[in-house]
Structures are given as C-alpha cells and as structure tokens.
C-alpha cells in the first residue's frame, strides 16, 4: 500500500473516501467542521438528528459529498475531543479501515492523525493508522480457484494540520516495513498443513535469505540433528512422513559484536496430537500450531527490510505431529540435546519437546536474551482468552520490557509465575522429568518444563495459543505477537543495545 503524509484542505482532496472524525457530544473535529461548511451544514444536521453521537467506533458513510472533491465522506466516532486512550484510537482506526476496505474502495484520505491521544505522539498515531489500514487490506485468497474481484485499497493519504510531517513520515515507513513482516506471518500461518509442511517453512526462510544480504539462513536436516543429540525434537517428527527441519536465520545489523536477541518459534505445521490424538471438532485449527515460527519469520523480514541496527537470530524447530506405526507412544523415554531424559506421558504435549532442543541449540549464539514464541497450551486460552498472550520469564527486567512493549503496541501480554513450587508436577518415576504436569496450571508447568533448558541465559516465553489466530467466522491468523516483538526490537535498536 502506498501511504503518504501531507498537509492540505480536507474539502479539496480528490479521493474515493474522505475520513473525518466527530467527537463525543456530537462535536465536529476541525476537519469535520471544514467539510460541514463545504456540504452546507449536512454533518451538523446528521449529528443533531442523532445519526451519529461521536462515540468511539461509530461509523456513518455519506455516499454523496457534493461541494467537496471527495466522492464519499466517512464519519467516524472520535470520542472525547480533549483526548482518548491509545486503545480507543487503535479501535477507531481499525473500524475506519475495515469500513473503507469492505466498501471496496481503492483509495482514501484520512483526517485522523490530529486526534488527541493520551501519552502518544504523532509518530505513534501515524504508525497505528498505517498498521490498521494495511491490516484491514490483508487478504488470503491463495487457495481459492478464483481470487476475489473486489478492488483492494492501494493508496492512503494521512492529512494533517501539523507544520512538520517528518516524524509521521518516518513512522509510516517503519510501519510499512512491519506490515510486510505481518503479512508474511499471516500468509504462512493461514496456509493449510498440506501446503505448509516443515520444508515450506525452510523455503520461506531461504527466500528471505536470498532477498536480504544481511540475513544468513541455515537449515539442519534430520541427520545433523541426530549428531547434535536432539532426541526430543526428532521423537516428535518420527511419526510423520514429512522430514523435520531446524531453521536458523541470523541477522547482523549491528556491526559491533553485540549479543543478539534470539527468537525461537514453535513450528508444528500440524498438530494432530499424535497417538494421544486430539478430538475431531476444531482440529483443522491445529494448522496454526506453527504461528510461533511464522511470527519469527515475519519479524526477521521486518527487521531486515528496515535494516535495523541490532543483531537478531531466529531459530525454528519445524515438525509435523502425527500418529503412525513409527510415532512416539505414551510412556516412551527420550534423551534431549541437554542430556536430560524425558518421559513422554502425552504425545500431544509436543511443543515443549521440540522447543527444549531448540532452546539448548540457541545457547550457541551467545544470546543477550532468548524469547520463545509458541502456541503451547490450551490452558492459556482458558486463563487469558484471546486478549493477552501468556508471558513467563526467568529474568524480571526482560519480562518488564516485554510487558511494556505489549502495552505500547496494544499487543498485550500478561505475566504468570514461574515459581519452583510448580516444578514438582513434572516429576517422573522413569526419567528426569515428565512432559506433562497434570491438569492444574497447565501453562505454568509447560513453561517450567522449558525453564529446565534455559538456565544459562535470560529467557522469556510467550504462550500465544489464544492470540495468534481468530476462530469462528473471522477464522484466520492475527499476526500476533509480531507487533509486540517489533516494538521490543525497535526500542532496543533505538537504544543501541
Ligand atoms: N498446540 C497445542 C496447544 C493448543 C491447543 C493451542 C488449543 C491452541 C489451542 C499443544 O501442542 C497441546 O496440544 N497442548 C496440550 C498440552 C497437554 C497435553 C498437557 C493442551 O493444551 O491440551
Ligand atoms: Mn499438541
Ligand atoms: Zn501443539
């Protein structure tokens, strides 16, 4: 999408749709007041009549706008004129974007960048508008025999009264880089299991490596993983006809030899549960069990596209979890790369089995911090629903930094405890640990399992089981937690650490 920032008169914009806000209490924003004059008082009349009150999220499309250069005017509820919450701004931006995209319009001019938002600057607002519109214009129709013929929004202009546009312009450029990463994450995640086995994730990584000199991509095959002793990861893969891959992407954007941020993404391209097979209803959604991997690839793409001054490494263990004559069975004991043995009591707790070896492998990059991202537990969906990702960490400052990044981006996480008290739930009579910890505190015991492999570095775990995709009518990948991770990385790149 082409997005530009400019100063100009709202009534003189030649566009398919001019978007202006009406504040709470039927108060016209300054852009809306200008348009009201051009339309001979139509907007005031509509407000008076009660067609629009100005509450956040309200919309009213005027399909005629004679007197202005626009074909249509979209009125959007802008909330309190004195200032709204950041989340309210995001929600009205998304509402405006969805309305314009659903109407099949090719271009729009938004007069929303000058709304007052508490504790946020012009750059943040411009970036959020860019993300809202690119996000709404995202479409996944690769698998349809005939792609949708509805026109796609291709051009957006952010109109402002500010004297300087450079801050907003820089923010839009950054948001567009992020949007490319987000679209890659969503595309890969939305692909069905048969079109996206582990080798497809490896291809996506290699394509990124080709496109960006700053990215070095390596893919380890089964034999190499065997040599490294990754008995746990390979155990999950042994029931599938698809070969496992261990994908690494090394981005060097900081010439100084600073320690990298290492992102480890769960890449189970389909999780049937294995021999501990899942129930039928909703099982299709387990194609999304590689959303952690997809978010790592999306972040790597955005970071490389933007050429950020930071070092980042992505590690993706990619497997398919299937029942088969060769598959692992409940009771099987395997030896992980760390040397610790694991009794597999439930083959459906496979995410931790591939992550533990990937986390041991991550140590070789001498990380500053390691963050794993995984659709790890159904229990996390029960605990936090689809609003927040679960966050568990062995390092308080890292946890705080991630929570802040979530708050700032609106892609929030919520911390759960990682106390030693929970560790005993993983006791096994036959191995060093079991791979499940019983019904209680499932998200925490899953993280406790991972914690046994991350003792040598600062580490955080994001459980994105509830946030990575939408179910129901709007079924599809959300792109989360790419916004959180990008906020985290952008802040670090800015700080130069
Ligand atoms: N991929 C699932 C977790 C999941 C389930 C994510 C539903 C989103 C929605 C994971 O591999 C899994 O099956 N976890 C089990 C763990 C249990 C066997 C301890 C679960 O959550 O039921
Ligand atoms: Mn599972
Ligand atoms: Zn899984």
């Amino acid at each position: 999408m082409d997005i530009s920032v400019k100063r100009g008169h709202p009534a003189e914009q030649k566009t398919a749709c001019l978007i202006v806000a009406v504040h709470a209490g039927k108060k016209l924003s300054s852009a809306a007041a200008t348009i009201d004059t051009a339309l001979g008082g139509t907007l005031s009349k509509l407000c008076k009549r009660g067609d629009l009150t100005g509450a956040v999220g309200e919309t009213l499309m005027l399909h005629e706008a004679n007197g202005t250069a626009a074909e249509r005017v979209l009125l959007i509820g802008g909330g309190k004129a004195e200032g709204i919450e950041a989340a309210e701004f995001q929600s009205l931006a998304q509402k405006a974007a969805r309305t314009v995209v659903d109407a099949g319009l090719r271009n729009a001019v938004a007069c929303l960048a000058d709304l007052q938002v508490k504790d946020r600057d012009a750059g943040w607002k411009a970036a959020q508008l860019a993300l809202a519109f690119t996000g709404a214009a995202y479409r996944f129709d690769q698998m349809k025999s005939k792609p949708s013929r509805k026109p796609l929004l291709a051009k957006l202009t952010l109109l402002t009264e500010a004297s300087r546009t450079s801050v907003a312009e820089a923010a839009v450029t950054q948001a567009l880089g992020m949007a490319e990463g987000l679209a890659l994450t969503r595309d890969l995640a939305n692909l069905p299991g048969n079109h996206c086995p582990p080798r497809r994730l490896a291809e996506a990584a290699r394509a990124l490596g080709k496109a960006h000199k700053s990215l070095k991509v390596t893919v380890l095959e089964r034999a190499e993983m065997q040599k490294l002793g990754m008995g746990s990861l390979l155990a999950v893969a042994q029931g599938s006809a698809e070969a496992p891959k261990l994908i690494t992407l090394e981005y060097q954007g900081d010439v100084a030899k600073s320690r990298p941020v290492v992102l480890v993404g769960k890449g189970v391209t389909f999780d049937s549960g294995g021999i501990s097979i899942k129930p039928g209803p909703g099982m299709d959604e387990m194609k999304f069990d590689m959303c952690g991997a997809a978010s790592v690839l999306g972040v790597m793409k955005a970071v490389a596209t933007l050429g950020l001054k930071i070092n980042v490494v992505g590690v993706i263990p990619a497997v398919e979890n299937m029942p088969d004559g060769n598959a692992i069975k409940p009771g099987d004991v395997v030896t992980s790369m760390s040397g610790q043995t694991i009794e597999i009591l439930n083959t459906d707790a496979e995410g931790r089995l591939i992550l533990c070896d990937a986390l041991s492998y991550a140590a070789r990059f001498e990380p500053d911090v390691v963050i794993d991202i995984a659709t790890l537990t159904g229990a996390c969906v029960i605990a936090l629903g689809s609003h927040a990702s679960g966050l568990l960490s062995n390092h308080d400052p890292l946890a705080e930094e991630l929570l802040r990044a979530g708050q700032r981006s609106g892609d929030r996480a919520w911390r759960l405890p990682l106390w030693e008290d929970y560790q005993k739930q993983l006791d096994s009579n036959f191995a060093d640990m079991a791979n499940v910890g019983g019904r209680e505190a499932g998200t925490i015991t899953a993280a406790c399992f991972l914690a046994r492999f991350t003792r040598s570095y600062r580490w955080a775990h994001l459980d994105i089981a509830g946030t990575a995709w939408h179910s129901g009518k709007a079924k599809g990948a959300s792109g989360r937690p790419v916004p959180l991770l990008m906020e985290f990385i952008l802040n670090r790149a800015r700080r130069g650490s």
Side-chain angles (χ1 to χ4, degrees), residues 282-348:
M283 210 209 271
D284 65 291
E285 296 192 6
M286 283 300 115
K287 73 172 187 177
F288 292 120
D289 212 18
M290 36 61 75
C291 280
S295 64
V296 170
L297 288 164
V299 167
M300 298 308 293
K301 176 167 189 173
V303 165
T305 301
L306 295 171
L308 299 183
K309 239 181 135 249
I310 186 169
N311 295 332
V312 187
V313 177
V315 178
I316 295 170
V319 303
E320 188 183 58
N321 186 23
M322 295 293 273
D324 177 76
N326 290 315
I328 41 168
K329 306 167 290 295
D332 284 0
V333 173
V334 297
T335 304
S336 66
M337 182 180 174
S338 71
Q340 300 176 93
T341 60
I342 303 160
E343 184 187 13
I344 301 173
L345 288 175
N346 189 322
T347 67
D348 198 10

Side-chain angles (χ1 to χ4, degrees), residues 266 268 271 273 278 285-286 289 321 346-352 375-381 435-438 442 463-466 469:
K266 173 178 172 183
V268 176
D271 180 12
K278 288 182 180 292
E285 296 192 6
M286 283 300 115
D289 212 18
N321 186 23
N346 189 322
T347 67
D348 198 10
E350 85 298 339
R352 62 199 78 181
T375 47
L376 204 62
T377 64
C380 193
V381 191
N435 78 327
V436 291
D463 193 328
I464 57 167
W469 74 89

Side-chain angles (χ1 to χ4, degrees), residues 193-200 221-222 225 234 236-245 269-270 318-322:
N194 64 330
H195 287 267
C196 188
R199 61 191 143 83
R200 177 71 179 74
E221 304 294 333
R222 197 192 309 262
M225 290 187 257
L234 290 172
V236 177
Q238 77 193 32
S240 169
E242 293 289 347
K245 308 281 172 186
T269 58
F270 186 74
V319 303
E320 188 183 58
N321 186 23
M322 295 293 273

Side-chain angles (χ1 to χ4, degrees), residues 244-258:
K245 308 281 172 186
L246 184 71
I247 306 159
T248 61
L249 307 96
E250 296 168 73
Y251 172 78
Q252 182 143 32
D254 189 357
V255 275
K257 283 234 174 316
S258 66

Side-chain angles (χ1 to χ4, degrees), residues 97-260:
R98 176 94 342 262
T99 308
V100 168
V101 168
D102 285 349
L105 306 179
R106 285 178 200 279
N107 61 76
V109 175
C111 307
L112 300 172
D114 294 330
L115 296 188
Q116 295 295 320
V117 181
K118 289 180 202 160
D119 199 26
R120 296 292 194 277
D121 62 9
W124 183 87
K125 287 187 283 185
Q128 293 309 316
L129 287 166
L131 288 171
F133 279 83
T134 51
Y138 172 82
R139 194 183 271 176
F140 184 80
D141 53 12
Q142 293 176 41
M143 295 289 134
K144 305 265 193 195
S145 59
K146 292 184 204 70
S148 159
R149 275 210 291 270
K150 194 188 249 189
L152 251 193
L153 184 67
K155 186 172 163 40
L156 174 71
T157 305
L158 305 181
L159 210 63
T160 174
E161 293 170 357
S163 50
R164 276 183 43 215
T165 55
S166 53
V167 171
E169 274 161 3
V172 166
T173 304
Q174 209 160 70
L176 285 173
M178 202 171 128
E180 282 197 33
L182 270 163
L184 175 65
T185 298
R186 294 174 77 178
D187 275 346
L188 289 170
N190 284 329
L191 279 173
N194 64 330
H195 287 267
C196 188
R199 61 191 143 83
R200 177 71 179 74
L201 292 179
E203 276 163 29
R206 286 203 192 93
L208 284 181
K210 269 236 168 78
H212 301 279
K213 263 210 167 73
S214 51
L215 265 180
K216 188 181 132 204
V217 175
T218 328
V219 179
L220 297 190
E221 304 294 333
R222 197 192 309 262
E224 292 151 296
M225 290 187 257
Q226 253 151 7
K227 269 191 215 134
L228 287 164
M230 296 185 164
S232 185
L233 189 163
L234 290 172
V236 177
Q238 77 193 32
S240 169
E242 293 289 347
K245 308 281 172 186
L246 184 71
I247 306 159
T248 61
L249 307 96
E250 296 168 73
Y251 172 78
Q252 182 143 32
D254 189 357
V255 275
K257 283 234 174 316
S258 66
R259 286 171 172 259

